[in-house]
Every structure is written in structure tokens, then in C-alpha cells.
């Protein structure tokens, strides 16, 4: 009695604990979403997920438990079973007596069956049948459990839907997994044996387990359900069925989810009920099953009819899923799929519907005696044979005998479909393509003419600059620079910091700059607080959550200038001792780049929650041997001054110090989700976010009031799908993407704004319909921030990867892969790696100009291509980021009949030069190493200029310095200390023709 009460109390406390945990989580989320202004988003999400959970779990539990309960009532009783066994024993004894009698004679006896029951099953048939059904349940439990666990560890974000268990490809995949993983076999066999021993308890328990599993799987796909009810037409149809693309993006995924759920529900229900009947009254131990009674047959016919309806639904959807087929030479439905697989799926669907209606008709209009009863089993057997023939035999025969002998002719129209829809899905159709024939006629006058391009050639890569920043600008161990981002700023022209100049004759006077401002490409890096680097002895609760609350300041470095000793120049640096907060290189910089009080409460590595407005002062920044302290007065944070709120968040965060501390005041706030990636992911998990948030210093207070720091994070967000018909998924698992959203996060207040950058995208139009208050037009973004938006690298990489194949629009060229491209390699440090896209400020040759009379320098993202298995340049892709030209892609193709040096060829020529290679080898000794930076290919006029910086760093206490710049043009290569000297070496007029390779200037090497 005591243990029963103890068990009940344990269950009560566990239930109460779960209820409190769920309540505290929902309550804390409501306050947090209210703080960031997206409470409607959270409430709609919670309501949708709650309805899905309750509906799926409730229907699953009701269907399975009611059918299992009915099966328990209809199964054989123990007495009936014993009577059947006695009858069999008496018959066996009689047959044995007759056999031993000398008057025994063999004769065929006609066995009269009871019309109310199927034929009896003896042990040799009963045991394999029950074992197979039990193994099937174990397989289902493992399959659906594995899906749920994968979602538990990795939340769904436009994920590829799992395939229902009935599909042959799923069964084949599971069999391969069973063979490769021993634990999988053990789990399935263990479940099967346990079911045979304890059928009633385990079949009911598994039904209860399946309810939350199915609910959790559909619960995770709540975005697809919301999209289903708010579709936006694409105004484009697929070429196979003529359906609008929106059907595949918004409707088909939900039908696939229903199939996944209903197949598991109906299949388990049918198998569990059949096992309940087969194992009733100790049939295994007695070695005989007396056959299904009429009531049992009627029950199984009804459940079988529902199962066959789901099978019909599966084959009907399989017809549409042919547009994602990987059979054939291109993605999507091929000749075999359209001519063989599609009709076969249609026939199987119709037959499944016919069988289902027959079974359901027999269920509702039951006749115990029916001469057509055996036809059901023959029909099911024939159907299974047709399934194998339609899925395996027929397509294989057509592919090998009809398609492969005439593959190009058969597949040509389907290749055309793949090309057209892949280019459509990745917006490759919008690329303007033009020829570019480098003339090799670049002169000193052209260099002078393109002065702004030359002044913005990037000599500092992110990696060496970050290493140098960490040595020179971290100030204290608890500060860290997690990243450095390329951007452009419009600066006053009276900047006193040095900059590279173009080659000029010494006798010429310096010209006055007429323009009041100029655009400069810079590297900006945030000085964030990294609590993990605080000394272990100081890592207390008070320090973690009340004192070390924010980072401070940032650095801005021009990408092309070198200071004394080869170190980078800084426009903005250090932490000042006075109210100016940061040190700037000139008054003009302070006017150009807003500084304010640059406290960073929300950043890339702000992974702890903090409390502000407490009795404890927050560390602001170090000043000499002392520290300056501050109290947060921003808009961010949730008020937790009241006792009940402290208990709520203490329970949610499992931090009971929040309740016990005496340092809180009525105005104390809790700042949660300060990591900008986690912050926006929590608000909009249905979007895919860029991997690189970048910092912007701008005076933009229209949407971000009361921000004294002027620091903002901009993150690009994408709408993606894997359901676009005929579009190649490639290696990243998606076949549709748009850069639809620009997200801006206030680094001081944590305010988040979503701006629609691509209103033509139907997916973001759907989300705008679902959350009408969430998204704003890009035109409402403050102008000072909009000038810093840039074409995102992640999006550009995906498009450029598809373009390597899908620039070929002729089906025969595509089939032969005659013009396949690849991304070239470069040497970085001492390792070979693919060239990464890089930003430039340059004027695009022959670029279409909108709203301007002549070409001007602009901020572009750039990537070169080479032919497959060759190293010469074949094309380069540019993405524009400025003004009305934002988002336009330009593809420049080089002539195939002449050689245009690629990055690998230039790298080879650099490393083959005896003087340059000797110098690099010398630096790689005596405790230092030379790092060859990014090799930039820069278009100027109708020519290409190649620039590669070389850094020197010690093997210990690394402090990279820029020691040389290599410039290559046509057949000339120069290595010099500065870009100016290298350009002079190539373009300075010579009386005699220049040699093929110009040796580097003789000059003293800098100290190592």
C-alpha cells in the first residue's frame, strides 16, 4: 500500500514539475516576445503548434486505443481456445490409432470448414506470421522514433520531409541501415520478441508512444501548415502536370506530412489488431490459431480499407514527386519517369482505391458467407507483385532497353525543363551576360583615371587583420574580435591617414581634391565581451550576469593602407579616456563615422543573459589601471523587479540565484538572447539566415530610437525550399532561394526590424500574409543603413555554384558537359583552396547604368571561373550592391580562343620566380612564416590586374604584418613593399621593352 501511494505521489510531482516548467517557459517567452515587439508571431506559432499537437495526438490515441479495445473484446476467450485444442488433440489421437491399426487405409478426407471462420493456422504458419508482424512494429517504432529524435537534436527549418514507411525506397534504406548497425537489429528484434511475450500491454503501450511521436513530427512542421492556408501563386506552372509552382511549394509538403502520419497510424493499427487476434488465448503456446471469426474479419476489413486509402494517397502523391526524381541525366522527371513510372503509379493508385472501396463495402454491408472472400487475398497478392514491378522492374527495363541506347534523343526535352526551372529557381535568368575581351592595353593614364579603384584594392584580408587586432586592440583579455567585415563608407576627403597613391612623377604638384567626400572600402570589427576569457577565479555569478554585461567599441581599418612596420592603419581604434569614447585618425573621420557611446549589448558572441539596473555597477571600459562603470539605460530587456517575475524567469532559466540575490531593484531588467543569430532565429525560425552578420556604424534613429551607440547589425535572410519542380538541389539540399529579407538589430537596445528586400518572392509574400505586422518595405529602412546593404556572400555562393553547370542552356551541350566551369584555386598561406568571393570598389566595364550618364565606381561582389580541369579564366560573375542597381548580376565571359591567366597560373608564375620564391623561402625560416594572401583579379577598363598581398608572421605570438605586394599584369610580375611601387614597376614608362618578369626592387627586408 505504501509503495502505491509513493508511486502516485511521484507521478503527481513529476506532472506538476512538467506543468510548471511548461508554464514558466511560455510565460517567459510571452514577456520576451512582447519586449522585441513580435508577440503576435509567438502567439500564432504557439496556437498552431498546440492545435497540431492536440489534434494529431488525440486522433492517433483515439484511433489506436479504440481499435485495440475493440480487438480485446472480439478476441478469442481462453475457454474457446482450450476447446479447439482438445478437439485437435482428440483428432490426432484418433488418426494415430487408425494409423497403427492394420485395417488403416489412406484416403483423402474432405475437410469441411466452418463458414464463419478462416482456416486454422498451425504453429509452422502462425509463428512466422506473428514474428513478421512483430518485426514490422519494431521497424516502425525505430523509423518514426529516429525521425523524432533527429528533429529533437536539430530543429526543422525548411527541412526535407521524411518519406513514409510504405515506400520501397524507405524500406530499402532501412534494410541497409539494419545491416550496417547492429544496435538497430537488436532494437527491432527485442521489440518483436517482447510483443510476442506481452502482447496486450506492449501493443497498447506502443500505441500510446506513437501518439506523441506523430504529434511531435507534425508539430515541428508548423510553418508548412501555416503556408498551406496562405498560399501565394508563383504565376508559373510545371511542364509535366501544368500545376502552379505554389502547389509544390505550399500544398504538396502538407500532403506528404499527412501521408507520413496516416500511413504510420493505419499500418500500426492494422498490424496491432491482427496481432491481438493471432496471439489471443495463448495461440503460440498451444500451437494453433482457430481462424478469424466473422466479427474479427469485419474489423480487419474496415482497417484494411482505410490502410489501402492511404496507400492510394501515397501513390497519387508519388506521381507529383516524380518532378524531384534523380533518375536520368538531369534532375526531375525523366523519359522513364514520364512514360513508365507515371502510368504505373496512376494504375496502382486506382487499384488501391478499388481494393479500399471493396473492403469498406464489405465492412458496412457484411455477409458472413461470401464466395468472393478469397479474392481479397489474391487481389492483395497481385497488388504487391505489381508494386514491385512498377517501382523496380518496369523502370529498369525501360531505362536500359529504350532510354540508354538513344539517351540524348529521349532525354532532351526533360534536360531543357531542368535547365529552365533550375535557372528560374535560383534567379539565374536575371543575370545579364556579356563578353569581355582583355586587351592588355592598360597604361599609366588608365591607372590615374581609375584612381578610386586603385585606392580601394584590398591588401588586408580578414584573417591577418583579426590576428593583428587581437594583439593590438583587444585592450583586455575579456575583449575579443570575433569577426571583421568588409563594408564601404563615404568619408570626408581631408583624412590625414596615409593612403596609397597612384604613380606620379615627382615634379608634378599634388592636385587638390574637388570632391568633398569619397568612398572607401574598410574592414570594421566589433570589440565584444567574451566572458569565457575572464580568469577562472573571477567567473562568479555576479560577474557573469551583473558586471560583465557588454563589449565596447570597434575598429575601422582601410583595406589598402599600411602603417609603420607593416601594421594596418586605423581610422577608428582604441578606447579613449575621455568622453569621445574611441580614438579616430582625424576630425573628418569623426564626422564621417558616427561614434557615440559604442556599447555592444547584443552581438555575435553575447551568449550569456545579463541583468541591468541593479545595485551593482556594470563594467563599461578600462581606463588606465582603473575601470569606468556604467548603468544601462536602453530600451532592451524584460523588467523583473517584481518577485513573481523573478520566480518565473528563475524557473525558466534554472537560475535560483535570481531569487536569492539582494542586488535587484524595481527597475532591474533581464537581457535575454543577446546573440544576434539566436535572437532572430527565435523570432523567425522559418527563415534561413546568412552565416555572417556585419556591423554598421550609422546615425539611423527612425526605426531605432534612443540608440546612443549608433551601432547596428545587418543580417541577410533567405526564403528557401526543396520542393521546386525540376530544379536541381545540388549539394546543399535546396532548389529554390531568394534573398528576401534584410534584418537590422540595434546593438544597444536589441531592437529587431525585418525589411522585405525582394517583394517579388511568393514565399515572403505568404509570410507577410501570415504575419502582416512583422515585415516592412525596404524603402522604410533608414537611408544611412540602406547605403550599407550589400549582396550577401552566402547567396552569391549558392548562385555561382549552380551557374557553373546551368550557364549551359543548350540541352546537347549540357548533356555532354562540354562547357562545365569550376571555381579556381589560389594559394592562401601555404595551402591551396578555392577562391572565395570578394568585394571590390570598381567600375564595371560595359555595365548597364541606371540613372547615370557614365560609369562610376561601385561596390560589387566578384568571383572568377575557370573551365573544368583547366586553369585559365573563362568568366567572372559580379553582383552589384549600390542604389538602384542593388541585386543585379553581371556575367562577363572571356573569349575561348585566347589565354586569359587564371589565379592558379598567376600563383604558379609568382612561386616559380626565383627571386620571389627565394624571398618567401627565406621568410619561412627562423621562427616566422610567409602568408600569401587572397589573389584578387581586378577589372580595370578592358584589362585585368592581379594583386596579391604577402604577410609575415611569427610562429609564436602571431602579429601579421604586410611586407610585400605582388602585382601581375599580362606577362609582367612585380613584388614591392607597397602597391604604389609595384604599379610604378609595371606601368612606369620605359625606354626599352620590359622583360617578361620584373624583379622586385632591392631593398632592406623589414625586421622579422
Amino acid at each position: 500500500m505504501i509503495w502505491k501511494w509513493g508511486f502516485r505521489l511521484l507521478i503527481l510531482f513529476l506532472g506538476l514539475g512538467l506543468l510548471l516548467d511548461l508554464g514558466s517557459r511560455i510565460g517567459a517567452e510571452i514577456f520576451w516576445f512582447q519586449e522585441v515587439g513580435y508577440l503576435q508571431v509567438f502567439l500564432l506559432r504557439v496556437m498552431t503548434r498546440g492545435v497540431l499537437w492536440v489534434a494529431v495526438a488525440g486522433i492517433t490515441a483515439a484511433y489506436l486505443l479504440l481499435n485495440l479495445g475493440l480487438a480485446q473484446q472480439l478476441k478469442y476467450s481462453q475457454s474457446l481456445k482450450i476447446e479447439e485444442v482438445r478437439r485437435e488433440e482428440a483428432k490426432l489421437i484418433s488418426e494415430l490409432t487408425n494409423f497403427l491399426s492394420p485395417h488403416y487405409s489412406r484416403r483423402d478426407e474432405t475437410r469441411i470448414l466452418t463458414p464463419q471462420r478462416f482456416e486454422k493456422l498451425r504453429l509452422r504458419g502462425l509463428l512466422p506470421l506473428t514474428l513478421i508482424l512483430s518485426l514490422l512494429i519494431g521497424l516502425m517504432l525505430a523509423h518514426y522514433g529516429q525521425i523524432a529524435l533527429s528533429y529533437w537534436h536539430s530543429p526543422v527549418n525548411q527541412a526535407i520531409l521524411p518519406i513514409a514507411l510504405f515506400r520501397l525506397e524507405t524500406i530499402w534504406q532501412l534494410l541497409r541501415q539494419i545491416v550496417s548497425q547492429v544496435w538497430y537489429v537488436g532494437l527491432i528484434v527485442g521489440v518483436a520478441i517482447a510483443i510476442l511475450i506481452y502482447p496486450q500491454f506492449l501493443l497498447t503501450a506502443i500505441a500510446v508512444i506513437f501518439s506523441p511521436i506523430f504529434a511531435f513530427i507534425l508539430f515541428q512542421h508548423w510553418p508548412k501548415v501555416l503556408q498551406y492556408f496562405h498560399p501565394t501563386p508563383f504565376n508559373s506552372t510545371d511542364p509535366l502536370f501544368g500545376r502552379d509552382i505554389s502547389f509544390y511549394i505550399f500544398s504538396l509538403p502538407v500532403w506528404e506530412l499527412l501521408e507520413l502520419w496516416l500511413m504510420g497510424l493505419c499500418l500500426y493499427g492494422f498490424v496491432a489488431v491482427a496481432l491481438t487476434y493471432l496471439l489471443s488465448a495463448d495461440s503460440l503456446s498451444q500451437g494453433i490459431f482457430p481462424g478469424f471469426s466473422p466479427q474479427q474479419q469485419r474489423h480487419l476489413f474496415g482497417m484494411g480499407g482505410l490502410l489501402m486509402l492511404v496507400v492510394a494517397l501515397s501513390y497519387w502523391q508519388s506521381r507529383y514527386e516524380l518532378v524531384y526524381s534523380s533518375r536520368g541525366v538531369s534532375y526531375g522527371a525523366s523519359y522513364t519517369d514520364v512514360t513508365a513510372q507515371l502510368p504505373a503509379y496512376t494504375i496502382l493508385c486506382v487499384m488501391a482505391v478499388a481494393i479500399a472501396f471493396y473492403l469498406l463495402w464489405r465492412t458496412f454491408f457484411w455477409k458472413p458467407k461470401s464466395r468472393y472472400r478469397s479474392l481479397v487475398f489474391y487481389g492483395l497478392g497481385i497488388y504487391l507483385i505489381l508494386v514491385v514491378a512498377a517501382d523496380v522492374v518496369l523502370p529498369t527495363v525501360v531505362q536500359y532497353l529504350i532510354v540508354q541506347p538513344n539517351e540524348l534523343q529521349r532525354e532532351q526535352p526533360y534536360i531543357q525543363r531542368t535547365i529552365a526551372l533550375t535557372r528560374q529557381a535560383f534567379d539565374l535568368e536575371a543575370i545579364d551576360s556579356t563578353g569581355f575581351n582583355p586587351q592588355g592595353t592598360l597604361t599609366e593614364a588608365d591607372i590615374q583615371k581609375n584612381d578610386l579603384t586603385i585606392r580601394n584594392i584590398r591588401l588586408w584580408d580578414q584573417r591577418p587583420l583579426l590576428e593583428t587586432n587581437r594583439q593590438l586592440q583587444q585592450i583586455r583579455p575579456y575583449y575579443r574580435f570575433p569577426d571583421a567585415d568588409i563594408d564601404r563608407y563615404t568619408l570626408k576627403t581631408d583624412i590625414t591617414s596615409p593612403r596609397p597613391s597612384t604613380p606620379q612623377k615627382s615634379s608634378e604638384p599634388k592636385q587638390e581634391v574637388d570632391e568633398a567626400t569619397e568612398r572607401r572600402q574598410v574592414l570594421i570589427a566589433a570589440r565584444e565581451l567574451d566572458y569565457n576569457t575572464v580568469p577562472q577565479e573571477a567567473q562568479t555569478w555576479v560577474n557573469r550576469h551583473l558586471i560583465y554585461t557588454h563589449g565596447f567599441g570597434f575598429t575601422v581599418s582601410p583595406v589598402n593602407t599600411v602603417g609603420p612596420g607593416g601594421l594596418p592603419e586605423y581610422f577608428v581604434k582604441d578606447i579613449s579616456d575621455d568622453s569621445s569614447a574611441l580614438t579616430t585618425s582625424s576630425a573628418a573621420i569623426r564626422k564621417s563615422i558616427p561614434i557615440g557611446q559604442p556599447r555592444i549589448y547584443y552581438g555575435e558572441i553575447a551568449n550569456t543573459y545579463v541583468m541591468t539596473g541593479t545595485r551593482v555597477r556594470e563594467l563599461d571600459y578600462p581606463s588606465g589601471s582603473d575601470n569606468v562603470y556604467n548603468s544601462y539605460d536602453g530600451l532592451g530587456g524584460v523588467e523583473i523587479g517584481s518577485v513573481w517575475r523573478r520566480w518565473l524567469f528563475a524557473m525558466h532559466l534554472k537560475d535560483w540565484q535570481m531569487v536569492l540575490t539582494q542586488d535587484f531593484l524595481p527597475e532591474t531588467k533581464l537581457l535575454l538572447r543577446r546573440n544576434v543569430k539566436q535572437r532572430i532565429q527565435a523570432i523567425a525560425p522559418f527563415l534561413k539566415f546568412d552565416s555572417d552578420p556585419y556591423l554598421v556604424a550609422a546615425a539611423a534613429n527612425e526605426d531605432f530610437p534612443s540608440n546612443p551607440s549608433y551601432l547596428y547589425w545587418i543580417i541577410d535572410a533567405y526564403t528557401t525550399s526543396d520542393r521546386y519542380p525540376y530544379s536541381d538541389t545540388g549539394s546543399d539540399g535546396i532548389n529554390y532561394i531568394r534573398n528576401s529579407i534584410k534584418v537590422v538589430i540595434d546593438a544597444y537596445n536589441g531592437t529587431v526590424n525585418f525589411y522585405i528586400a525582394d517583394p517579388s518572392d511568393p514565399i515572403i509574400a505568404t509570410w507577410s500574409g501570415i504575419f502582416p505586422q512583422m515585415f516592412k518595405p525596404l524603402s522604410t529602412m533608414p537611408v544611412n543603413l540602406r547605403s550599407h546593404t550589400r549582396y550577401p556572400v552566402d547567396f552569391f555562393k549558392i548562385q555561382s555554384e549552380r551557374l557553373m553547370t546551368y550557364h549551359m542552356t543548350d540541352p546537347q551541350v549540357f548533356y555532354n558537359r562540354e562547357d562545365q566551369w569550376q571555381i579556381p584555386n589560389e594559394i592562401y598561406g601555404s595551402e591551396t583552396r578555392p577562391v572565395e568571393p570578394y568585394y571590390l570598389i570598381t567600375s564595371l566595364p560595359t555595365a548597364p547604368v541606371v540613372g547615370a550618364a557614365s560609369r562610376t565606381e561601385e561596390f560589387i561582389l566578384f568571383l572568377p571561373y575557370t573551365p573544368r580541369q583547366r586553369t585559365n579564366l573563362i568568366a567572372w560573375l559580379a553582383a552589384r550592391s549600390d542604389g538602384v542597381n542593388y541585386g543585379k548580376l553581371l556575367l562577363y565571359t572571356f573569349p575561348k580562343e585566347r589565354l586569359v591567366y587564371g589565379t592558379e597560373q598567376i600563383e604558379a608564375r609568382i612561386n616559380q620566380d626565383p627571386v620571389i620564391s627565394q624571398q618567401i623561402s627565406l621568410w619561412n625560416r627562423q621562427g616566422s612564416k610567409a602568408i600569401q594572401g587572397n589573389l584578387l583579379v581586378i577589372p580595370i577598363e578592358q584589362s585585368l590586374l592581379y594583386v596579391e598581398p604577402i604577410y609575415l608572421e611569427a610562429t609564436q605570438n602571431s602579429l601579421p604584418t604586410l611586407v610585400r605586394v605582388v602585382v601581375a599584369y599580362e606577362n609582367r610580375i612585380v613584388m614591392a613593399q607597397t602597391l604604389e611601387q609595384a604599379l610604378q614597376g609595371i606601368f612606369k614608362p620605359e625606354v626599352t621593352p620590359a622583360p617578361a618578369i620584373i624583379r622586385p626592387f632591392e631593398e632592406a627586408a623589414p625586421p622579422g
Side-chain angles (χ1 to χ4, degrees), residues 216-262:
F216 182 72
I217 292 173
L218 270 75
F219 165 92
Q220 289 291 331
H221 287 276
W222 64 269
K224 293 181 174 61
V225 176
L226 283 178
Q227 287 180 315
Y228 177 80
F229 292 104
H230 299 82
T232 300
F234 277 66
N235 297 321
S236 177
T237 59
D238 79 283
L240 183 58
F241 297 101
R243 303 292 297 262
D244 190 271
I245 302 297
S246 60
F247 167 77
Y248 297 92
I249 302 294
F250 302 124
S251 299
L252 187 59
V254 175
W255 286 104
E256 289 172 335
L257 273 176
L258 284 174
E259 178 201 346
L260 180 75
W261 170 42
L262 295 177

Side-chain angles (χ1 to χ4, degrees), residues 597-645:
Q597 297 296 322
R599 300 180 180 94
I600 302 175
Y601 280 86
Y602 299 86
E604 291 188 81
I605 57 172
N607 297 318
T608 60
Y609 56 89
V610 298
M611 278 70 78
T612 61
T614 66
R615 291 187 174 90
V616 180
R617 295 183 301 169
E618 304 169 39
L619 172 65
D620 202 22
Y621 59 86
S623 177
S625 58
D626 299 323
N627 293 323
V628 176
Y629 293 90
N630 180 63
S631 183
Y632 179 70
D633 59 354
L635 302 177
V638 181
E639 293 185 358
I640 56 169
S642 58
V643 175
W644 72 271
R645 287 200 181 190

Side-chain angles (χ1 to χ4, degrees), residues 399-417:
Q399 185 71 23
Y400 280 96
L401 299 184
I402 299 177
V403 175
Q404 288 191 359
N406 305 282
E407 194 166 45
L408 177 58
Q409 178 186 357
R410 301 291 187 186
E411 299 287 8
Q412 186 165 345
Y414 307 104
I415 294 174
Q416 188 65 55
R417 293 177 181 181

Side-chain angles (χ1 to χ4, degrees), residues 33 38 40-42 44-45 49 155-159 220-227 680-689 717-721 738 740-741 743 754 756 761 763-772 774-775:
F33 275 91
Y38 295 100
Q40 178 213 12
V41 177
F42 174 71
L44 182 57
R45 185 196 314 174
R49 299 172 89 176
V156 178
N157 182 16
Q158 301 290 336
Q220 289 291 331
H221 287 276
W222 64 269
K224 293 181 174 61
V225 176
L226 283 178
Q227 287 180 315
I680 58 178
Q681 185 70 41
I683 297 172
F686 47 83
L687 297 176
K688 181 180 179 65
F689 294 99
Y718 312 110
T719 52
T720 62
S721 177
R738 289 293 186 273
S740 302
I741 296 293
V743 189
F754 294 84
I756 298 179
D761 173 32
I763 296 182
I764 202 60
T766 288
W767 285 119
S768 298
I770 297 170
F771 302 118
M774 182 174 181
F775 302 102

Side-chain angles (χ1 to χ4, degrees), residues 319-330:
R319 299 168 68 254
Y320 293 108
E321 290 169 358
L322 289 175
V323 297
Y324 313 122
S325 172
S326 57
R327 181 188 287 120
V329 295
S330 61

